[in-house]
Amino acid sequence: MKALEGVRILDFTHVQSGPTCTQLLAWFGADVIKVERPGVGDATRKQLVDKPGADSLYFTMLNHNKRSIELNSKNETGKEVLTRLIQECDVLVENFAPGALDRMGFGWERIQEINPRMIMASVKGFGPGKYEDCKVYENVAQCAGGAASTTGFLDGPPVVTGAQIGDSGTGLHLALGIVTALFQREKTGRGQRVLAPMQDGVINLCRVKLRDQQRLDAGPLTEYSQYSEGIPFGDATPRAGNDSGGGQPGRILKCKGWETDPNAYTYFITQAAVWEKICDVIGKPDWKTDPDYATPPARLPRLNEVFDAIEEWTKTKTKFEVMDICNPLDIPVGPILSMKEIAEDQGLRATGTVVEVDHPERGPYLSVGCPVKMSDSPVDVVRSPLLGEHTMEILSEVLGFEGQDLNRIVESGAVGEVRAEAAE
C-alpha cells in the first residue's frame, strides 16, 4: 500500500512549481489527474524539445505517475465535467495567474459549495501585498527571496543558483502543506486553502542568511572570508563565495586535474573537532600547538593561509582520493560532482534517486526519482502521460459517465477533438 493511496488530486498546474508538488504526491500513491487544454496541454510539453515529435524532458521529468485528461473548462459541458471532478477529488492544486480560477467560475467559495472537504492548494509568486499580482519565474523568486544577493563572490554581481529553489523548492513546500491539510481534515472534516508563495519558499531556504543579517548588529561575521581579509562589512548580509554557511569554515578547493577538469574540486570543512587530524593529513603537525592556529578563534584571521595550505595537499589528490582519506578520519569533505557523474552513479541508480524510464515517443530517458524514501510506501516511477491519454478512462471510471452521457460529453468538444476521434 502507498502512503497516499485513496487520495485523489485534481492537478491544474503547469511548468515546474506545481507539477513538482503533484508529482511528489503521485509518487506517494495519490491518484493525480492532470487537467490540460485540448490540443495544447502543459506548455512545457513543447519547451526545450530535444526529440521532434516527443514530449520534452522538461515535461516528462515533472509529470510521472499522473493521468492526463483534456478538458475545455470554458465549454459548458466542460464546466459540468469539472464540477464532477471537484466533487470526486480531495485536493485541487493550481498555479494559475491570480484570479484565473475566479474568472473560470471556480473560485474558492464556489469550490466549497461543490465540495466542502476540498483542499485548494496554490502556488503564487508573492504572498498578499503590493506584489501579489506580479508574474514570477524561478530566477525572479531567487532574487526576491534573498538567494541571489547572498550568492556569488564579494567582488562580483549577485548570482542565481542552478538548484531550482524557487520552483521545485516551492513545490516541495506546497506538498507538505497539502499533506498537513489532509491530516487536519481527518479531525475537522473540512477542507481549507493552502498557499505557497515562491518568495516565501526561497526566504525559508535562505534562513541562515537572515540569521547572519541579525548577527551583523553584534559585529563582523568572523567565519566569512572577508573578515580574515580585513574587508569591512556593510549593513546587509554579503555574498560569501564558497564559505560555509555554518559556524565551521569551509571552502571549495582544487584537486588533482583541476587544470583540465572544471569539476576537479572538493568541499573541505575545517571542523574544530578534527583539526588535529587535518594538521596531520596536510603535513602541518606543528599547527596543532601553534597559538596562531591551535584554536578556532586564532585561525579565523588566517583562513586564507589555512585553506591555501589545505589546497596544496588536495591538489595532489583526486576529489575521490580526498574522500577516501578524509572520511575515515571524520573530516567533512565532499566531491564536486558534475551532472554527468551523477547520471552515471550506480549507487544513485540503486536507491532510485536516479531512474531510467521508458517512453513510447522518446524511448528511454533518465529522470530524478523520489527524494524521500519510506519503508512502507515504495515508489515506482511511471512515465509521464501523453496529452489526454486517460480522458476516456477518467470520464468513465472516475466520474461514472457512460452511454449517451459519455457520447454527449465527447461530441460537445469539451474533451478535445483527438479524444473524440478516439472514442468514435
Side-chain angles (χ1 to χ4, degrees), residues 24 31-32 34 42 53 80-81 83 87 92 98 117 132 135 144 154 162 242 245 300 303 314 328 332 348 377 380 394:
L24 191 63
D31 178 15
V32 175
K34 186 175 180 70
D42 190 315
E80 175 192 343
V81 173
T83 300
Q87 290 173 335
L92 185 153
R117 288 175 57 82
E132 62 184 302
K135 184 179 289 187
L154 193 62
N242 291 317
L300 287 175
L303 287 181
T314 60
L348 295 175
S377 185
D380 299 312
I394 292 167

Side-chain angles (χ1 to χ4, degrees), residues 94-100 102-103 122-136 140 144 193 195-200:
E94 60 90 18
N95 60 343
F96 290 127
D102 294 285
R103 292 190 292 273
S122 304
V123 171
K124 293 292 178 274
F126 294 95
K130 60 182 178 179
Y131 298 125
E132 62 184 302
D133 294 330
C134 294
K135 184 179 289 187
V136 173
V140 174
R193 297 190 70 174
L195 174 64
M198 294 172 70
Q199 182 189 38
D200 295 27

Side-chain angles (χ1 to χ4, degrees), residues 280-299:
D280 289 334
V281 166
I282 66 173
K284 294 284 187 180
D286 54 311
W287 279 4
K288 291 188 286 185
T289 55
D290 189 322
D292 287 340
Y293 303 95
T295 65
R299 290 193 292 274

